[in-house]
Amino acid sequence: MSVKPTHFTSLSPTPSISMAFSSIIAVLLLFLSSPFIISFVASQSAAKTFIFRIDGGSMPSIFPTHYHWYSTEFAEESRILHVYHNVFHGFSAVITPEEVDNFRNHPAVLAVFEDKRRELHTTRSPQFLGLQNQKGLWSESDYGSDVIIGVFDTGIWPERRSFSDLNIGPVPKRWRGVCESGARFGPRNCNRKIVGARFFAKGQQAAVIGGINKTVEFLSPRDADGHGTHTSSTAAGRHAFKASMSGYASGVAKGVAPKARIAAYKVCWKDSGCLDSDILAAFDAAVYDGVDVISISIGGGDGINSPYYLDPIAIGSYGAASKGIFVSSSAGNEGPNGMSVTNLAPWVTTVGASTIDRNFPADAILGDGHRLRGVSLYAGVPLNGRMFPVVYPGKSGMSSASLCMENTLDPKHVKGKIVICDRGSSPRVAKGLVVKKAGGVGMILANGASNGEGLVGDAHLIPACAVGSNEGDRIKAYASSHPNPVASIDFRGTIVGIKPAPVIASFSGRGPNGLNPEILKPDLIAPGVNILAAWTDAVGPTGLPSDPRKTEFNILSGTSMACPHVSGAAALLKSAHPDWSPAAIRSAMMTTTNLVDNSNRSLIDESTGKSATPYDYGSGHLNLGRAMDPGLVYDITNDDYITFLCSIGYGPKTIQVITRTPVRCPTRRKPSPGNLNYPSITAVFPTSRRGSVSKTVIRTATNVGQTEAVYRARIESPRGVTVTVKPPRLVFTSAVKRRSYAVTVTVDTRNVVLGETGAVFGSVTWFDGGKHVVRSPIVVTQMDSL
């Protein structure tokens, strides 16, 4: 079966180009004798995939295309994997590290970086975001109709009802994408809902010994993992039909933007992750195809805090954002540790995860009468109150046995018992399978201190529930001290109306920004815990090979689930305001967020039970009921981003790695990174400064509300800090739509107490006396250069 190239233009020259090319072969011999030409006589065992960022303007005029230049002067045609045209100029190729060294001083090579592997950040939520039928943003945007969301993930399972094109209009004429053919996937699998589907496998094929495992994967856009189907339907799944996962979370299924179109870009592969070379190829294709929004729930790996010029996701997303495409990314699942947030580029909207007001309680009942709170999505035969002996295999502390790793449980000790397993080192559901193989009848999965009290539901294969760290310690103490410890698990189904909600998920990536603390990350939070969405038919709900169950929907947790909520939200805002830039759309979301839960109290950090801070939630929790009409927005142009890159010490050549085109930095006065027109404000003071110090940042607000408007500032100064705003009043007219103001932060470093997070927090809010309340968080911290 033939597979189309994974980018929008063929890597092979056409016959007409080949004829023209042969006529200048004598001239090319000069290049072939160049010391930069790669010889592939070297040992193939040392070859790796490298990504080359090339100055496209340096191509000699004798070459008809960049491809001919690359394949003649840099690498043999058979070694080139992808050629990049739109987000930047360059290519990826399989060569040896020694050969790469020959290129580092080539005048046309701007940067070279090794291909890195990244990870996935793995139907009540739309209402929880403030979306309501027949009014508000849904109706104003026609449910996102004709906006195209490109989802970079594991592909899509097109037969799901969430992707039906019933009553959806024709594909927008501007769309230039394709529906690539491959294993169990062809043009018929696309429709007016799934307008395009591509797959990018060349990087994987080169990196994985033996290539992609076709016994567990489809060499096509078809989803063998489930993650991509889930995120696609979260962002833009159709609505108005009943949905549940084995009876849990029953209700009406709908994505955030039910009429938006989906373009699936398969860049991640089951059991082998996602490679930068393939991700960049997807960015290149998506820009050409004509998407409006890109949703990428991918990150981490070795490049979690790589400089922007060495981070292909940052480079690809800049190329997209510079063309007016909104890019939403996940904040990562390494929380609650500080500085764990990933996807830090200021042109990307970075999304953390929160709970919603729905839960799946399952209680661990002990023989001494105590009932301890937990969660589960187990849908098999219940225990019906029957008590079983309970055992903890880690009596001497955490070990392979306490973690219930493969082949660590002695059947003599666990047969017929409920086993307490520590969370970590292996998939949560896989631990239950280990217990089952050893003869156990059930499992209580206990969080460690790092996970705290944060709980996520899993579709376990045996009766099992997850409990927090405190409850886990109590159960372990009972099992070790009681002469005849017994327990049972009570599965209580689905409960809606849980308070408090939202709560910041314990796993959600946290600030401060590990690259440039002047830019607050994450930007905001959205639902990412126990989210119901469509699922693949290739694997069961646990994703384990031994799970034979099939389900149309599954319930997952992670910032991967939060990201597509914001992608769908961006589609709605783009449909309602087609002239808004990606920065304006992000600003509308960030300045209208919620800072209180459904108990009208400050947002809580799930890991500690204490009040959360902007390092946990950014600007706050997404509220689309207000984002459609924010009043003011903070817009950012491509030139503004270039100025920001100059301000953090990048030179013109380094910036060109990101921007594709040559740039100039100011020579008279170095700009300040804090002056990027971001919707949040962070004042960073060096730790060496003592006494009273001040810092001033500038912001420019654009009026997108009523033509004649007057806004007044309300300041909430951080503890021990003085904040002033000049002018304190902004007047907008039909002739004046933009107004700038200065925020001056003054702190006495001898007296201010920065607290556990190393920062104090406040805000500046502009209000017009009516419905518009435009809030920007203020973070004040002391930190030396990172």
Side-chain angles (χ1 to χ4, degrees), residues 601-674:
R601 296 177 180 175
S602 298
L603 295 175
I604 297 296
D605 181 350
E606 184 182 48
S607 66
T608 64
K610 299 178 182 178
S611 293
T613 75
Y615 278 169
D616 306 315
Y617 55 69
S619 292
H621 189 273
L622 179 63
N623 179 357
L624 284 176
R626 294 179 54 214
M628 181 182 69
D629 185 14
L632 306 176
V633 296
Y634 297 96
D635 211 351
I636 304 177
T637 66
N638 294 340
D639 288 341
D640 294 332
Y641 287 127
I642 291 171
T643 301
F644 166 79
L645 293 171
C646 294
S647 75
I648 62 175
Y650 288 10
K653 282 293 186 183
T654 301
I655 295 174
Q656 190 180 351
V657 174
I658 302 166
T659 62
R660 191 173 186 261
T661 55
V663 302
R664 289 184 178 181
C665 286
T667 55
R668 292 185 178 181
R669 184 177 179 182
K670 182 181 178 181
S672 168

Side-chain angles (χ1 to χ4, degrees), residues 632 703 707-712 727-739 766:
L632 306 176
N703 181 24
T707 303
E708 306 285 333
V710 178
Y711 284 81
R712 292 174 172 82
R729 185 169 169 266
L730 302 178
V731 179
F732 297 94
T733 66
S734 57
V736 180
K737 297 183 181 299
R738 291 161 53 90
R739 289 286 189 186
W766 295 95

Side-chain angles (χ1 to χ4, degrees), residues 42-291:
S43 171
Q44 295 301 306
S45 62
K48 299 179 180 179
T49 300
F50 290 88
I51 300 168
F52 288 76
R53 176 66 174 87
I54 304 296
D55 180 2
S58 297
M59 183 181 75
S61 60
I62 59 173
F63 293 105
T65 68
H66 283 88
Y67 168 78
H68 289 97
W69 179 29
Y70 302 151
S71 61
T72 301
E73 187 168 349
F74 293 94
E76 294 176 359
E77 179 179 335
S78 62
R79 295 290 177 174
I80 293 179
L81 302 180
H82 299 291
V83 172
Y84 310 111
H85 300 274
N86 294 298
V87 295
F88 73 103
H89 283 299
F91 64 94
S92 56
V94 180
I95 60 177
T96 67
E98 293 78 13
E99 291 162 337
V100 169
D101 291 339
N102 293 331
F103 283 103
R104 297 205 182 270
N105 294 321
H106 189 292
V109 174
L110 298 174
V112 184
F113 34 91
E114 187 179 339
D115 204 7
K116 299 289 186 181
R117 194 174 302 280
R118 296 179 184 264
E119 303 167 350
L120 294 163
H121 289 152
T122 226
T123 47
R124 189 175 159 75
S125 44
Q127 290 90 330
F128 197 66
L129 295 176
L131 292 172
Q132 300 177 14
N133 289 320
Q134 309 305 323
K135 61 180 180 179
L137 186 52
W138 256 347
S139 61
E140 292 290 334
S141 66
D142 191 21
Y143 299 85
S145 178
D146 288 350
V147 175
I148 302 168
I149 303 175
V151 182
F152 291 17
D153 216 293
T154 62
I156 196 165
W157 196 266
E159 291 81 8
R160 291 303 183 220
R161 290 181 292 169
S162 296
F163 308 127
S164 165
D165 64 356
L166 182 67
N167 297 325
I168 291 182
V171 175
K173 292 182 179 179
R174 58 190 168 80
W175 176 245
R176 296 194 290 182
V178 299
C179 195
E180 290 186 341
S181 296
R184 292 188 59 187
F185 203 99
R188 291 185 178 181
N189 291 117
C190 291
N191 55 21
R192 295 189 303 274
K193 180 67 174 176
I194 303 174
V195 296
R198 295 180 183 267
F199 65 104
F200 301 84
K202 292 185 177 181
Q204 288 286 348
Q205 295 281 47
V208 178
I209 297 176
I212 292 170
N213 185 354
K214 297 176 184 178
T215 64
V216 298
E217 254 293 2
F218 303 104
L219 201 57
S220 75
R222 186 170 290 277
D223 184 7
D225 179 90
H227 193 277
T229 300
H230 197 281
T231 55
S232 296
S233 62
T234 299
R238 284 188 56 83
H239 67 294
F241 57 88
K242 298 290 183 181
S244 71
M245 197 282 290
S246 299
Y248 286 100
S250 59
V252 176
K254 57 173 71 73
V256 177
K259 285 188 179 180
R261 317 306 176 99
I262 296 169
Y265 296 85
K266 184 174 179 177
V267 297
C268 298
W269 299 81
K270 188 175 177 63
D271 301 329
S272 56
C274 333
L275 284 172
D276 285 339
S277 58
D278 293 334
I279 294 171
L280 271 173
F283 271 114
D284 213 55
V287 169
Y288 172 85
D289 290 345
V291 303

Side-chain angles (χ1 to χ4, degrees), residues 342-624:
T342 186
N343 292 321
L344 303 176
W347 45 85
V348 170
T349 300
T350 309
V351 190
S354 66
T355 66
I356 61 175
D357 63 341
R358 180 181 65 200
N359 204 4
F360 312 105
D363 299 336
I365 304 170
L366 305 185
D368 62 4
H370 284 97
R371 179 183 283 261
L372 303 178
R373 179 181 65 88
V375 299
S376 181
L377 295 170
Y378 173 71
V381 179
L383 299 182
N384 292 323
R386 184 180 174 187
M387 306 296 284
F388 293 88
V390 60
V391 61
Y392 177 52
K395 293 181 180 179
S396 60
M398 187 173 290
S399 63
S400 295
S402 76
L403 290 164
C404 299
M405 304 292 284
E406 191 72 32
N407 299 319
T408 62
L409 298 182
D410 187 345
K412 295 179 182 179
H413 296 152
V414 304
K415 186 175 182 179
K417 298 177 181 179
I418 292 176
V419 182
I420 305 166
C421 297
D422 288 321
R423 181 175 172 181
S425 298
S426 65
R428 299 182 298 269
V429 291
K431 297 177 188 292
L433 186 60
V434 172
V435 171
K436 182 180 180 181
K437 288 179 179 179
V441 298
M443 177 181 69
I444 297 173
L445 181 64
N447 279 359
S450 62
N451 298 115
E453 306 309 307
L455 300 177
V456 293
D458 290 302
H460 293 284
L461 289 163
I462 64 170
C465 71
V467 298
S469 178
N470 293 335
E471 286 88 345
D473 289 343
R474 291 178 63 180
I475 297 171
K476 293 173 190 176
Y478 165 75
S480 63
S481 62
H482 198 279
N484 185 32
V486 293
S488 187
I489 303 174
D490 180 20
F491 303 98
R492 298 197 285 129
T494 304
I495 295 181
V496 176
I498 295 292
K499 292 185 178 182
V503 171
I504 289 80
S506 61
F507 58 76
S508 185
R510 311 301 170 97
N513 183 327
L515 281 181
N516 302 109
E518 297 87 355
I519 305 299
L520 178 62
K521 292 286 182 174
D523 291 309
L524 73 170
I525 58 173
V529 177
N530 295 333
I531 303 302
L532 178 77
W535 189 245
T536 179
D537 224 20
V539 294
T542 64
L544 296 175
S546 57
D547 186 355
R549 298 171 295 177
K550 303 297 181 185
T551 179
E552 184 177 3
F553 297 91
N554 200 3
I555 296 172
L556 299 181
S557 298
T559 53
S560 276
M561 284 63 253
C563 171
H565 280 87
V566 169
S567 306
L572 295 178
L573 291 170
K574 183 72 174 178
S575 183
H577 303 284
D579 58 329
W580 281 9
S581 69
I585 292 172
R586 174 177 58 194
S587 175
M589 295 186 200
M590 290 177 63
T591 61
T592 58
T593 54
N594 286 340
L595 292 175
V596 296
D597 58 33
N598 56 3
S599 299
N600 204 32
R601 296 177 180 175
S602 298
L603 295 175
I604 297 296
D605 181 350
E606 184 182 48
S607 66
T608 64
K610 299 178 182 178
S611 293
T613 75
Y615 278 169
D616 306 315
Y617 55 69
S619 292
H621 189 273
L622 179 63
N623 179 357
L624 284 176

